[in-house]
Amino acid sequence: MWALPLLLLSVPVADSLKGTVLALGSGHPLAGVVVGIGAQQVTSDSAGHFALAGSASRLHLTWNGKTGTGVIPSGQDDEALRVVIDTETQELESTIEREDWHLVGRWGMPGFFDRARQGFGTFFTRNDLARTGYASLKDLLRSLGITHGCLRDGTGCGAMIYYRSNPVLVSIYVDGVFQRNEQADELPLDAVTGIEYYPLPDPPRPALTSSRQWMVKTDYLQQLPLQEFTVVIWTRNFYQRLAQR
């Protein structure tokens, strides 16, 4: 009896793109966004969710008569996407990240919303800033107990907070870049999309908490020494650069 060779046929699994659409101003899910690749289109549901069959390097987005294109970062096609859209610009500007990208390594507002949900620090969305009516960053920082001044030894001036009766300078990052300008706290808020503040006192240094891990990663990426009190600011320019890449 002849033995017939057994052929194992692998059935290809269709690629897919799925994810959630969020509004940049609030972090809330955005329904009614038409998400497309090629000729295929779907509309995000009430939770902002969408799913498409196939793969692509860009998503085409339409919402409320506005259109835009977002670049999909490299990765596995079956990994969920986080699509954050600025709905207040003339054309839809977006940033897209993989949802499973580690929390402390995600730049911009996708990571901002994740960190806010985890209760790290103090967070202000653009909608929050509009409600407060603060004209500049300095006004907002004052509400957090941060003033403008100089260290007693004359080694530096800028945004400052008192910890245990000692003045400590507050580090300010704008779009991931450390601001060395002593007047960085005078930044106008009209272009700001989100602000996060981490009050980590030193001395003594506390244990390596989740919020500290995010700051360590931030400074690691910037190759700068970690400062204990940090304000991280994201602006529209950050998303315009992403939209143009």
Side-chain angles (χ1 to χ4, degrees), residues 21-228:
V21 183
L22 303 178
L24 177 64
S26 64
H28 295 157
L30 196 58
V33 179
V34 178
V35 184
I37 55 172
Q40 185 185 178
Q41 293 182 336
V42 296
T43 302
S44 61
D45 62 18
S46 59
H49 296 157
F50 67 90
L52 291 158
S55 62
S57 60
R58 292 176 178 267
L59 286 182
H60 298 283
L61 307 163
T62 304
W63 182 82
N64 201 24
K66 300 179 181 181
T67 61
T69 302
V71 177
I72 302 173
S74 60
Q76 299 296 321
D77 286 332
D78 57 352
E79 293 175 345
L81 301 174
R82 179 73 52 80
V83 182
V84 181
I85 294 180
D86 190 343
T87 61
E88 298 178 22
T89 51
Q90 203 167 32
E91 295 182 357
L92 292 182
E93 294 175 356
S94 64
T95 178
I96 303 174
E97 303 295 358
R98 301 282 176 177
E99 284 193 356
D100 68 345
W101 188 13
H102 196 276
L103 178 68
V104 298
R106 184 181 289 123
W107 288 89
M109 297 302 283
F112 174 100
F113 296 132
D114 283 344
R115 291 186 292 277
R117 292 187 184 98
Q118 295 293 327
F120 301 171
T122 302
F123 295 79
F124 300 89
T125 65
R126 188 166 65 208
N127 290 2
D128 295 331
L129 298 175
R131 283 194 296 270
T132 60
Y134 295 123
S136 70
L137 178 60
K138 186 179 289 186
D139 294 333
L140 174 63
L141 295 182
R142 191 176 295 115
S143 72
L144 298 171
I146 301 172
T147 60
H148 187 94
C150 298
L151 298 179
R152 291 169 180 167
D153 59 7
T155 56
C157 300
M160 187 177 70
I161 191 168
Y162 280 85
Y163 175 66
R164 296 186 175 180
S165 301
N166 294 315
V168 179
L169 290 180
V170 176
S171 297
I172 297 177
Y173 289 81
V174 178
D175 294 338
V177 179
F178 178 67
Q179 303 297 294
R180 300 185 182 278
N181 183 357
E182 294 181 353
Q183 307 301 319
D185 54 352
E186 295 184 0
L187 178 78
L189 297 180
D190 54 344
V192 172
T193 58
I195 296 177
E196 40 195 307
Y197 170 54
Y198 299 96
L200 300 179
D202 173 44
R205 289 175 179 259
L208 193 63
T209 62
S210 298
S211 54
R212 174 179 288 275
Q213 288 176 16
W214 151 241
M215 291 176 61
V216 169
K217 176 60 74 172
T218 299
D219 283 277
Y220 172 74
L221 292 172
Q222 289 294 311
Q223 297 182 346
L224 292 171
L226 176 67
Q227 301 296 322
E228 293 301 314

